[in-house]
Amino acid sequence: MNESLLRELVPAVIGVLVRRGADFATAEDAVQEALIEAVGAWPDDPPREPKAWLVTVAWRKFLDLARADAARRRREERIDEQRPAEPVAATDDTLQLYFLCAHPSLTPASAVALTLRAVGGLTTRQIAEAYLVPEATMAQRISRAKRTVATVRFDQPGDLATVLRVLYLVFNEGYSGDVDLAAEAIRLTRQLATRTMHEEAAGLLALMLLHHARRPARTGTDGRLIPLAEQDRGRWDTRLIAEGVDVLQAALARDRLGEYQVQAAIAALHADAATAAETDWVQIVEWYDELVALTDSPIVRLNRAVAVGEADGPQAGLAALADLDEALPRYPAAAAYLHERAGNAATAARLYAAAARAATNVPERDHLTRQAARLNTQLRG
Amino acid sequence: MAKYLLLKHYRGAPAAVNDVPMDQWTPEEVSAHLKYMDDFAKRLERDGEYVGGVALSPEGSFVRYDGEGRPPVTDGPFAETKDLIAGWMVIDVDSYERAVELAGELSAAPGAGGKPIHEWLELRPFLADHADTTE
């Protein structure tokens, strides 16, 4: 039983049902039930056309579900009248489903959950585990999301930027339980990039691949965070880096720059350096200038200040930082780093301790505490 | 088996014996402390006594309803004195004595100079949501 094949078929099958007149929520439930049946039946009797098999069984399940609900009787009659006899068509229902699941009427958390369930084909339990919430909570979140999009017309064009942001959120959630959300996000983004041929979908895919390539080196055996400059570059996945660079170059060649392509370009420059010292910081600053022009985000300006500190020295970095609001997330950490490089160990230690207090996750907090401890030990010694 | 909450405080508990802020330790002391905590939780998990644990940010706010149509009042993130919880661990153990034993062990986590912190941990029994029918 090929689980990834099943997952890939899910969105297309839901799409077929919805196009035939099923409402999204019931279609989605019907496909999940068909999957359960497939898991039981396929090992002994593998279908010649898995997708057609799933469509047939899911449609039957859908009719059962629709019939079971007496309040829906009128709609059931309508569906029976309209019941099409056509075979599975080649229209791209999967793409429509991406847009539906990332509909702007949904909160980001709901869009993420619905995307993983309907497009990704994950079970509610798997999604709940990945987000460390009880299964009942996640089930409610998903069914609320389904109700929200129930009235959305399936053939409306969607907003690609929203879809990309949802996939980006999935990627950032990382690894937990038996599903690696980063790998799942890559799979879904790869599928989206192939279907849309949009350069920002390719940019996001490249960005994910390049970040994913560094994952084995990013944490120590004890779960400790290892900063980019100290990572063992031999542990980076060169195959993923090569693929990321290829995808990015093809996107950049089309000359329609967007923020994901730029972020991927920065990640590619890091990936390209054999040692941290060989990093092309000058070019990275140039890409950050592009990113500031595209997004005008204060977080981007903060990252740019750190890059300026590497390219032109810590004083230049601190000057770039001086224009920014000290309340920005990670401001104290960036300031601490630049102050240490500028030789102000006492200020840096104080800022690292402040950054640790403001950290939003345990590995980052522990890392920053260690940095403060290291400098304070030096200052005493 | 009965469940207990082990509460660790940033502020509000009596001062620890070895009361040196963590950023004043050496990095090795920090690592030793974190490893101790981690090993402690892993061992409890292996022994079937671990339920869950969470670390909390020190940046908390008190919030209060301030009347119809008005935004809730907050005291801001930097109140001068209040009890601040650093995190908790929930354990499921055979007896109160066992819970005290484990809390004592956690309080002995190494701190500055590699010596135990002797910090105060709060131990709170869970109230059951139903009457006990077995006795």
Side-chain angles (χ1 to χ4, degrees):
Chain A
M1 174 67 55
N2 185 340
E3 197 188 333
S4 66
L5 168 72
L6 273 183
R7 277 201 211 153
E8 269 162 46
L9 291 173
V10 165
V13 177
I14 297 175
V16 171
L17 264 59
V18 172
R19 198 157 38 75
R20 286 185 181 178
D23 68 286
F24 175 65
T26 318
E28 210 270 333
D29 290 340
V31 173
Q32 292 296 333
E33 285 197 20
L35 286 178
I36 293 167
E37 197 162 312
V39 169
W42 289 13
D44 299 328
D45 183 16
R48 208 159 42 85
E49 296 280 355
K51 184 177 165 188
W53 189 99
L54 277 176
V55 168
T56 306
V57 174
W59 183 249
R60 202 179 67 226
K61 298 277 181 198
F62 165 72
L63 291 177
D64 289 348
L65 287 168
R67 275 192 202 103
D69 188 348
R72 292 179 180 173
R73 192 159 302 280
R74 207 178 308 158
R75 184 173 46 200
E76 180 202 313
E77 284 160 10
R78 180 172 61 79
I79 288 161
D80 268 345
E81 278 165 29
Q82 294 176 350
R83 185 173 182 168
E86 79 196 93
V88 179
T91 35
D92 195 344
D93 301 297
T94 304
L95 191 54
Q96 292 292 333
L97 206 59
Y98 271 100
F99 289 122
L100 187 65
C101 293
H103 195 268
S105 62
L106 296 168
T107 63
S110 300
V112 162
L114 195 57
T115 300
L116 287 172
R117 172 77 192 248
V119 189
L122 301 187
T123 64
T124 304
R125 186 186 54 75
Q126 286 174 314
I127 303 168
E129 270 179 14
Y131 283 90
L132 301 175
V133 299
E135 189 174 347
T137 304
M138 187 51 79
Q140 282 303 322
R141 195 179 294 175
I142 291 171
S143 56
R144 210 170 53 232
K146 284 193 222 166
R147 279 199 300 277
T148 305
V149 296
T151 54
V152 174
R153 277 172 54 85
F154 196 55
D155 54 356
Q156 280 169 345
D159 176 6
L160 185 72
T162 314
V163 175
L164 294 178
R165 196 166 63 243
V166 165
L167 293 172
Y168 190 71
L169 289 176
V170 174
F171 182 77
N172 277 339
E173 208 54 42
Y175 173 82
S176 163
D178 64 346
V179 182
D180 178 351
L181 286 182
E184 184 62 18
I186 287 174
R187 182 176 77 79
L188 297 179
T189 307
R190 192 191 297 280
Q191 190 178 304
L192 181 72
T194 311
R195 282 165 200 274
T196 59
M197 299 301 290
H198 194 283
E199 48 286 338
E200 273 291 86
L204 181 60
L205 176 60
L207 177 64
M208 288 177 178
L209 291 168
L210 288 162
H211 275 287
H212 205 52
R214 297 207 291 259
R215 189 161 76 168
R218 202 175 287 145
T219 43
T221 45
D222 53 358
R224 181 193 297 214
L225 190 147
I226 303 175
L228 183 56
E230 292 163 29
Q231 285 173 17
D232 173 3
R233 292 173 187 234
R235 301 186 62 199
W236 288 0
D237 186 331
T238 48
R239 192 183 53 83
L240 285 183
I241 290 174
E243 189 192 349
V245 168
D246 283 350
V247 171
L248 174 65
Q249 277 172 344
L252 288 175
R254 294 164 63 187
D255 206 21
R256 288 168 57 104
L257 205 55
E259 58 176 304
Y260 293 121
Q261 291 170 77
V262 176
Q263 285 189 54
I266 292 167
L269 284 167
H270 285 299
D272 193 41
T275 64
E278 288 169 56
T279 309
D280 186 349
W281 287 105
V282 174
Q283 214 186 322
I284 287 177
V285 171
E286 286 170 7
W287 280 113
Y288 270 117
D289 289 338
E290 293 276 6
L291 202 51
V292 168
L294 283 167
T295 64
D296 197 31
S297 144
I299 301 290
V300 170
R301 288 178 191 273
L302 182 72
N303 290 330
R304 180 184 170 277
V306 176
V308 167
E310 299 291 348
D312 302 330
Q315 294 302 343
L318 286 167
L321 210 56
D323 299 333
L324 297 169
D325 183 355
E326 291 183 21
L328 277 174
R330 298 208 169 90
Y331 183 101
Y337 176 74
L338 290 167
H339 272 296
E340 182 184 357
R341 291 200 53 227
N344 314 324
T347 308
R350 183 178 54 73
L351 286 165
Y352 271 129
R357 283 194 296 277
T360 54
N361 66 68
V362 171
E364 197 172 301
R365 183 197 63 187
D366 293 347
H367 171 72
L368 293 165
T369 303
R370 279 197 188 88
Q371 298 288 57
R374 175 177 55 79
L375 287 176
N376 282 321
T377 308
Q378 277 174 23
L379 286 165
R380 280 198 305 271
Chain B
M1 299 288 272
K3 289 194 180 65
Y4 290 87
L5 175 67
L6 275 171
L7 273 182
K8 195 176 158 76
H9 296 254
Y10 282 114
R11 276 202 307 261
V17 173
N18 185 7
D19 193 19
V20 181
M22 214 163 167
D23 64 282
Q24 301 295 324
W25 305 357
T26 67
E28 294 72 31
E29 286 161 8
V30 174
S31 295
H33 176 79
L34 297 172
K35 185 169 186 317
Y36 184 96
M37 306 287 282
D38 198 36
D39 290 349
F40 181 79
K42 279 197 186 117
R43 208 186 68 227
L44 288 189
E45 199 166 354
R46 214 175 41 235
D47 297 347
E49 294 180 312
Y50 183 81
V51 178
V54 164
L56 294 176
S57 156
E59 312 272 309
S61 305
F62 276 107
V63 179
R64 196 199 70 198
Y65 174 64
D66 199 35
E68 193 65 45
R70 303 165 74 161
V73 183
T74 69
D75 75 335
F78 304 113
E80 281 306 312
T81 54
K82 69 183 169 199
D83 181 9
L84 266 184
I85 295 163
W88 69 71
M89 188 181 282
V90 175
I91 53 176
D92 192 4
V93 292
D94 279 327
S95 63
Y96 175 72
E97 288 69 31
R98 175 63 178 158
V100 170
E101 184 185 329
L102 288 175
E105 204 176 312
L106 195 59
S107 167
K115 296 189 186 69
I117 304 174
H118 298 277
E119 69 181 326
W120 289 94
L121 295 169
E122 195 180 346
L123 181 65
R124 302 274 294 270
F126 274 40
L127 293 178
D129 57 4
H130 54 83
D132 204 331
T133 53
T134 55
E135 288 178 280

